[in-house]
Amino acid sequence: MSRTNMNNFKALILAFAVTSLMTLGACSSGKGTDTLKADDSVGEAQTETAQPESVIEEDIKQAGARDPGYADSSSLVDINFDFDRSEIRDDQKEALTRNAEWIQNNGDTRIQIEGHCDERGTEEYNLALGERRANTVRDYLISYGIDPARLYTISYGEELPINPEHTEDAWAQNRRSHFLVTN
Amino acid sequence: MNREMNSNLVTRHFVSGRFIVRYFPVFLLTLFSVFSLFTEQAQAQRTDSGVWLGAKRVESTLMEVAVPDFRVIGKDTERLGEMSSRLINFDLQFTGMFKVNRNFDFMRKADLRDRKLGRVNYKEWRTLASNFLIKGEITELPDDRLSVEIVAHDLQTKKEFFAKRLTGGKSVVRRMIHRFSDAFVRRLTGEKGVADTRIGLVSRVRGRKELFLVDYDGANPQQITDDRSLVLFPHMHPELNKALFTTYRYRNPDLYVLDLDTNTRKPISRKIGLNSTGEWSRDGSKIVFSLSIRGNSEIYTCNADGSGLVRLTNSYAIETSPTFSPDGKFIAFTSDRPGAPQIYLMKSSGGGKRRLTYVGRYNDGPSWSPRGDYITYASLIDKGFDIALLEANNIEDKRRREVRQLTQGTGSNEAPSFSPNGRNVAFMSSRGGTKQIYIVNVDGGNLTRITNLPGGGYLPSWGPSR
């Protein structure tokens, strides 16, 4: 755990905290009505925690996506997407251009561009879709004139919703590209 | 736990039988019942979306079995006697070949009468089950281990048919019972059971998804990773005690292999971008996975150690979720080149790409049966996802494939994974409120929720027999 810097995961932790609360809340709801449920003894729960692994590959030289020191910047806003799409929506172009200006004017920063999806769809496909969203944004910023070496992408698929509700509004918020800044 | 098992678990056969000859008709009947299910479906309903609904199981061909509570020599403070008989019932019923008797009170009395009598009163047991009586005895050994002796009586011939003695620590008593179930079924049908298998999955711990292992019936959940970031897409090695998975621990979704005996990990692919949805070939020599270098997710293969990277797809579309055919000659994968994700096929060299699924507007997560007869995947047919089975025999033959539905519209059902004998599928479902892992027979029977983990159950991968 030597490499874990909690600060880097601020946004992440927040999202996880919300989702875990939701999960706990939802847990009490109902048992299944499955064929073999009559056997109460089957499926007893005893959680054992395994030892942390003893060998960890530590060969991380790439800058950017794996550097510590990321933070949210209030100047950079999320860019939202349509369901199952990764093109920049017309109504998002102004916001993205403002983000691009800020990034241009803060030349000492590196930017992590995250791609996120709503909970609909499969985890496999959503991870790739989030990657595509992040890269569409990255391409836009490059075409704006930003040095590609300052931009790193990462997809979290549907894993880190900012709104954990199951509504159209929540889904629309969760389909986003989020920006993190590092110096 | 595993090490304790290997050193302490001793099995011994002490009765042999002329079972194949005697039970050949039953064996044939069982085979026939599997086929008859499919013919029955052919006459059954077809939904508007063009998918066959699963059929009801044929009860009449099931073998009847009675399993009274095991006799425990000594104090049975943990109710092992009751647990053992229920576990055998679970195992046997889940094969889809048995009908178990649940009249436990009556069986307890019949067992007591047998003990007074000093022999098995076959006539009485025949009133409870027509094929088998399984009795067990658990003895605590001086070194604190347990000896479990189980005898299966053939109620037709009124003779002992199969017996096994297993010895092990108290923590592996469930495994000893599962081992008996597998051995008994194998003796009867020649086929390898799944009672002594485990399923890999991810579940949340303090909000973070980690790799877990559970027994195939959901018992003994064990947290494996402690990456405290995000672990996704576990895939169990077809033979060895290893798991492939994607972890964000090193600030990028990287593909790792974890040796579950030693708890050591090695990187397979860690390029900036996605390194995900990895699966082994059946012989364990190759890994197929999705990788995005600068942008778009494509399918690659490599050797088991990560060397020899070969790119198999090259398109503007998303390609992900690859799975090898059991002979290693083909790969099924997901591509969204038609506008939404659909299942495609290619040779494992990358040639001959063609679309396999035309039913369902969003299909992903294929898993190829080790028997080769089906590809299962999550299919958006009506509102939520359902588990679909695409007929996959002679896949090089380009005819349109029939699709069956294993689940029908209760919650979202995703991420199916075949059991090692190809008779069952594990998947995740939200039908109970939270996402948890379920198992089901390929004929749609014995649908059972196996986990009720506080952190949910996601992305199951069915591992091999231990």
Side-chain angles (χ1 to χ4, degrees):
Chain A
M1 287 316 299
S2 60
R3 286 194 162 256
T4 305
N5 178 341
M6 288 311 210
N7 291 333
N8 306 336
F9 272 99
K10 219 163 66 180
L12 207 136
I13 288 166
L14 209 84
F16 271 135
V18 175
T19 33
S20 59
L21 273 174
M22 289 298 291
T23 315
L24 281 172
C27 264
S28 50
S29 64
K31 290 205 162 196
T33 51
D34 302 304
T35 2
L36 296 177
K37 269 289 138 190
D39 289 344
D40 292 327
S41 56
V42 172
E44 69 182 64
Q46 273 178 352
T47 307
E48 293 172 38
T49 308
Q51 297 297 310
E53 73 282 0
S54 45
V55 173
I56 302 168
E57 255 282 314
E58 293 285 357
D59 182 25
I60 299 163
K61 291 194 178 104
Q62 296 99 323
R66 298 167 192 210
D67 265 355
Y70 285 91
D72 275 309
S73 164
S74 55
S75 309
L76 295 171
V77 299
D78 284 0
I79 303 301
N80 293 110
F81 294 86
D82 282 337
F83 175 67
D84 212 3
R85 309 303 304 175
S86 55
E87 303 87 25
I88 307 296
R89 268 168 22 197
D90 284 344
D91 68 347
Q92 299 294 306
K93 281 181 178 159
E94 199 190 316
L96 184 51
T97 306
R98 278 201 309 273
N99 282 354
E101 282 167 10
W102 188 92
I103 294 166
Q104 188 80 293
N105 295 335
N106 292 271
D108 56 340
T109 55
R110 285 183 171 166
I111 307 295
Q112 175 170 295
I113 306 162
E114 297 177 356
H116 297 272
C117 304
D118 68 32
E119 65 182 350
R120 295 171 299 169
T122 57
E123 283 167 86
E124 294 93 326
Y125 183 76
N126 275 341
L127 202 61
L129 180 62
E131 179 86 357
R132 192 147 75 176
R133 284 176 178 161
N135 275 287
T136 310
V137 169
R138 180 178 180 273
D139 290 346
Y140 188 94
L141 296 178
I142 292 169
S143 69
Y144 187 84
I146 292 160
D147 178 3
R150 294 174 57 206
L151 304 175
Y152 301 91
T153 57
I154 189 165
S155 173
Y156 288 103
E158 63 183 82
E159 303 296 331
L160 302 177
I162 43 171
N163 185 339
E165 287 171 37
H166 312 289
T167 61
E168 289 288 346
D169 281 352
W171 294 330
Q173 279 176 275
N174 292 333
R175 294 189 299 267
R176 71 200 191 278
S177 183
H178 183 71
F179 299 80
L180 289 177
V181 176
T182 180
N183 295 315
Chain B
M1 174 166 168
N2 212 31
R3 232 162 284 127
E4 184 186 356
M5 189 73 195
N6 290 339
S7 57
N8 289 356
L9 199 146
V10 184
T11 68
R12 189 167 75 83
H13 303 275
F14 53 93
V15 175
S16 64
R18 298 162 291 116
F19 53 93
I20 283 289
V21 178
R22 166 141 299 275
Y23 278 93
F24 195 65
V26 179
F27 179 58
L28 277 184
L29 217 56
T30 309
L31 275 181
F32 175 74
S33 76
V34 171
F35 288 117
S36 66
L37 291 173
F38 300 133
T39 47
E40 188 178 303
Q41 267 145 24
Q43 300 151 4
Q45 319 128 280
R46 192 168 191 165
T47 62
D48 293 340
S49 53
V51 177
W52 299 105
L53 291 175
K56 287 187 190 117
R57 296 161 60 230
V58 183
E59 297 283 335
S60 58
T61 58
L62 301 180
M63 286 177 273
E64 291 177 10
V65 59
V67 191
D69 293 353
F70 280 22
R71 188 179 176 196
V72 179
I73 313 295
K75 292 189 301 277
D76 189 13
T77 47
E78 289 156 80
R79 297 167 74 95
L80 291 178
E82 197 180 307
M83 184 277 283
S84 303
S85 73
R86 304 306 185 275
L87 207 51
I88 287 189
N89 279 343
F90 181 95
D91 290 344
L92 295 186
Q93 184 170 326
F94 190 70
T95 63
M97 295 186 276
F98 297 88
K99 188 177 182 219
V100 300
N101 191 299
R102 295 191 184 280
N103 199 343
F104 294 107
D105 285 337
F106 193 93
M107 286 193 282
R108 202 172 297 126
K109 285 170 196 152
D111 195 35
L112 280 172
R113 283 194 287 274
D114 275 1
R115 247 178 265 166
K116 275 187 198 145
L117 205 64
R119 63 173 177 82
V120 175
N121 184 348
Y122 285 108
K123 205 176 161 192
E124 179 165 26
W125 288 105
R126 276 287 289 273
T127 65
L128 289 162
S130 54
N131 299 99
F132 292 103
L133 162 68
I134 295 175
K135 286 194 182 201
E137 204 169 271
I138 300 174
T139 315
E140 205 167 300
L141 299 174
D143 61 359
D144 227 31
R145 291 186 308 155
L146 297 172
S147 169
V148 182
E149 196 173 306
I150 310 173
V151 181
H153 299 266
D154 183 335
L155 294 171
Q156 303 276 329
T157 60
K158 298 176 182 152
K159 277 180 186 154
E160 286 188 11
F161 163 71
F162 179 65
K164 221 167 168 45
R165 179 181 297 138
L166 303 106
T167 311
K170 274 183 179 161
S171 65
V172 294
V173 63
R174 293 179 71 93
R175 277 200 68 193
M176 294 194 265
I177 305 295
H178 286 316
R179 281 225 172 162
F180 172 83
S181 300
D182 274 350
F184 175 66
V185 169
R186 189 162 199 175
R187 203 71 185 274
L188 209 50
T189 66
E191 194 168 301
K192 221 172 174 182
V194 295
D196 194 25
T197 59
R198 288 186 298 178
I199 294 174
L201 57 103
V202 296
S203 182
R204 286 200 173 91
V205 180
R206 289 178 293 274
R208 313 298 182 84
K209 279 183 177 169
E210 303 283 3
L211 173 63
F212 276 66
L213 277 176
V214 298
D215 293 353
Y216 97 110
D217 58 9
N220 299 315
Q222 211 185 344
Q223 185 186 339
I224 303 298
T225 60
D226 190 23
D227 284 15
R228 303 181 192 197
S229 53
L230 184 57
V231 167
L232 294 170
F233 312 122
H235 185 254
M236 303 294 284
H237 193 282
E239 283 162 16
L240 307 175
N241 199 20
K242 290 178 175 185
L244 266 175
F245 64 104
T246 292
T247 179
Y248 282 62
R249 179 178 180 147
Y250 314 101
R251 308 203 158 274
N252 187 70
D254 298 320
L255 186 64
Y256 272 77
V257 61
L258 183 65
D259 185 318
L260 296 162
D261 289 327
T262 59
N263 211 5
T264 53
R265 62 175 69 186
K266 283 184 183 139
I268 298 299
S269 179
R270 32 184 303 144
K271 303 194 186 304
I272 291 181
L274 290 182
N275 305 260
S276 72
T277 64
E279 286 202 14
W280 272 287
S281 57
R282 289 301 299 170
D283 65 4
S285 67
K286 294 277 180 191
I287 290 169
V288 65
F289 64 109
S290 55
L291 172 60
S292 69
I293 306 173
R294 283 280 165 262
N296 191 24
S297 177
E298 304 284 356
I299 309 296
Y300 289 72
T301 51
C302 65
N303 298 322
D305 62 357
S307 68
L309 193 65
V310 179
R311 181 172 181 164
L312 300 183
T313 61
N314 192 354
S315 80
Y316 59 89
I318 285 173
E319 269 88 27
T320 185
S321 311
T323 180
F324 272 110
S325 63
D327 62 8
K329 289 180 181 163
F330 294 94
I331 292 164
F333 63 102
T334 300
S335 173
D336 74 347
R337 63 188 82 176
Q342 293 290 343
I343 311 300
Y344 278 70
L345 179 78
M346 65 180 160
K347 290 180 183 156
S348 46
S349 58
K353 292 181 185 73
R354 65 188 167 87
R355 184 171 167 179
L356 284 178
T357 54
Y358 292 89
V359 177
R361 57 187 190 276
Y362 186 127
N363 297 314
D364 188 20
S367 165
W368 209 312
S369 167
R371 303 169 72 87
D373 50 358
Y374 290 107
I375 296 168
T376 183
Y377 54 95
S379 184
L380 193 62
I381 296 168
D382 295 318
K383 273 186 183 165
F385 281 94
D386 277 303
I387 305 302
L389 287 173
L390 181 91
E391 193 269 306
N393 287 313
N394 306 315
I395 200 75
E396 60 269 40
D397 166 3
K398 288 185 183 169
R399 70 198 147 89
R400 283 273 173 107
R401 303 283 160 162
E402 202 153 90
V403 178
R404 284 204 296 129
Q405 236 177 288
L406 258 186
T407 60
Q408 277 108 42
T410 39
S412 194
N413 306 285
E414 297 172 50
S417 168
F418 265 108
S419 64
N421 67 9
R423 293 284 192 206
N424 326 284
V425 172
F427 62 99
M428 68 172 174
S429 178
S430 64
R431 62 183 64 203
T434 62
K435 282 190 175 164
Q436 298 290 348
I437 308 302
Y438 292 69
I439 53 177
V440 64
N441 301 150
V442 281
D443 65 10
N446 288 316
L447 179 77
T448 309
R449 190 187 65 205
I450 59 159
T451 65
N452 193 15
L453 294 165
Y458 307 83
L459 302 168
S461 171
W462 206 314
S465 290
R466 288 187 273 178

